[in-house]
Amino acid sequence: MRIPLSILDLAPIARGETAASSIAASVALAQRAEEHGYQRVWYAEHHNMPSIASSATSVLIAHVGARTTSIRLGAGGVMLPNHSPLTIAEQFGTLEAMYPGRIDLGLGRAPGSDQNTMYALRRNPNSADRFPQDVLELQAYLAGETRVPGVDAIPGKGSDVPLYILGSSMFGATLAAALGLPYAFASHFAPQLLEPAVAAYRREFKPSAQLDEPYVIAGVNVVAADTVEGAQDNLAAVRRNLAIGLFGRGQKLTDDQADELLAQGAGQHVGQMLTHTAVGTHAEISAFLDGFRKMADADELIVAHQAPTTEARLRSVTITAEAMDGVPA
């Protein structure tokens, strides 16, 4: 049995494409993942980002759920300080009622946005300080054990939607351990603290009603293609798109201009983000992911399939599943 594989779908809006085409691509990606035995597909909450279409995370999950049959779907994650715990309990309780046994709820405390967007969201700049308490309040709504007298999440009460703590620092690791929840590390873009965070989580883990033993999901990028040369070409396109998204935001830049950004310093930042990236065809992908799993001490890998086109991402999903079929958990 292979190590559990999942997908983090960043719902990218490629240059020249629309939100509608991005959402259609997310449906196709989830269907392909379901076909090839992936565990789950998660969508990340981001705001005010021209290249990402997953801001209304629960709405996207509902849309994809109606077009798939068995794969788990969820948030990776909902940025809880942007919302009231009751609202999220109602949203994900509704999703669980629609798609029983298929819904996950990953929680993060980052804004998923910049300062002006935080204002537009009506978010209190100090709201992240309440994250641990908000997680407990949300968990209680879903368990039917409200912490606010007379207030229940309907739908949501008693749904016990499983919670996951997301993070890229020691804070998330120690919180997940203290609450006895699974921990998902964002090593697909913030690799620096992966090993010490996972070690701390496993060392400090306390069993809970949801989870008896620690469970680690590690994020990793994959650029898989039918040839190594094709994968390298796709990686070059991904690097350009990241440079534009991070340092040329709102501008319509050519490939040459993107390459200039990379040469002027964006390349170092993008390279650091892509530290944990498998590139190639079946042999290279299986070798890298097997080594990464061991290094990360992960129970499950959640893959961000990086490619410039929908067709290339779909092919990457297939190749990765085939490559890992012979790699034991």
Side-chain angles (χ1 to χ4, degrees):
M1 181 178 177
R2 77 182 185 201
I3 185 172
L5 284 178
S6 297
I7 290 178
L8 178 63
D9 182 3
L10 301 174
I13 304 174
R15 283 184 283 173
E17 296 294 325
T18 64
S21 62
S22 169
I23 291 166
S26 287
V27 170
L29 196 76
Q31 291 171 336
R32 181 68 61 90
E34 185 171 80
E35 178 185 339
H36 286 282
Y38 284 76
Q39 295 284 112
R40 65 189 97 236
V41 180
W42 281 359
Y43 306 95
E45 177 188 343
H46 293 285
H47 299 281
N48 192 32
M49 293 189 178
S51 60
I52 296 178
S54 54
S55 55
T57 313
S58 59
V59 179
L60 182 57
I61 293 168
H63 179 71
V64 176
R67 289 154 181 82
T68 51
T69 59
S70 60
I71 195 166
R72 298 190 67 87
L73 301 168
V78 161
M79 300 298 106
L80 190 55
N82 293 343
H83 313 274
S84 75
L86 177 61
T87 297
I88 298 304
E90 291 169 341
Q91 289 179 7
F92 280 79
T94 300
L95 289 168
E96 177 64 25
M98 296 165 69
Y99 309 111
R102 294 180 58 199
I103 301 302
D104 299 327
L105 178 48
L107 301 169
R109 67 169 182 152
S113 56
D114 55 31
Q115 293 291 324
N116 286 341
T117 309
M118 285 174 61
Y119 166 78
L121 288 165
R122 299 298 187 264
R123 172 179 167 168
N124 184 319
N126 299 321
S127 54
D129 297 340
R130 281 193 48 83
F131 182 66
Q133 293 81 9
D134 285 350
V135 172
L136 291 172
E137 183 180 332
L138 171 59
Q139 186 178 46
Y141 286 131
L142 295 170
E145 301 169 354
T146 180
R147 291 178 164 226
V148 183
V151 178
D152 284 314
I154 301 176
K157 180 180 180 180
S159 62
D160 290 315
V161 174
L163 301 183
Y164 298 74
I165 299 297
L166 277 57
S168 58
S169 69
M170 303 305 291
F171 177 88
T174 56
L175 179 63
L179 299 182
L181 295 175
Y183 180 50
F185 193 92
S187 36
H188 63 289
F189 77 92
Q192 293 87 344
L193 294 176
L194 171 61
E195 292 174 87
V198 169
Y201 167 71
R202 290 194 180 278
R203 183 175 62 249
E204 300 175 20
F205 180 84
K206 297 178 181 177
S208 68
Q210 180 177 325
L211 195 63
D212 293 329
E213 298 178 344
Y215 192 85
V216 172
I217 303 175
V220 61
N221 300 289
V222 171
V223 186
D226 288 306
T227 66
V228 173
E229 294 76 16
Q232 291 290 347
D233 288 344
N234 286 343
L235 177 62
V238 167
R239 286 173 53 82
R240 292 187 187 106
N241 288 339
L242 283 172
I244 292 170
L246 293 168
F247 299 99
R249 196 163 165 177
Q251 302 179 55
K252 294 183 178 179
L253 303 182
T254 65
D255 284 353
D256 287 343
Q257 290 170 318
D259 287 337
E260 288 179 16
L261 282 177
L262 289 166
Q264 290 167 0
Q268 182 176 357
H269 186 82
V270 168
Q272 185 179 55
M273 288 178 64
L274 297 176
T275 296
H276 298 307
T277 302
V279 183
T281 187
H282 294 77
E284 292 81 14
I285 299 302
S286 62
F288 185 97
L289 292 184
D290 186 42
F292 173 77
R293 176 188 68 84
K294 294 170 182 173
M295 180 273 293
D297 195 13
D299 300 290
E300 178 179 332
L301 300 182
I302 189 160
V303 176
H305 287 281
Q306 303 279 8
T309 66
T310 299
E311 293 74 17
R313 289 173 73 213
L314 291 172
R315 186 65 186 135
S316 185
V317 169
T318 299
I319 289 172
T320 302
E322 292 171 348
M324 296 305 289
D325 276 340
V327 180

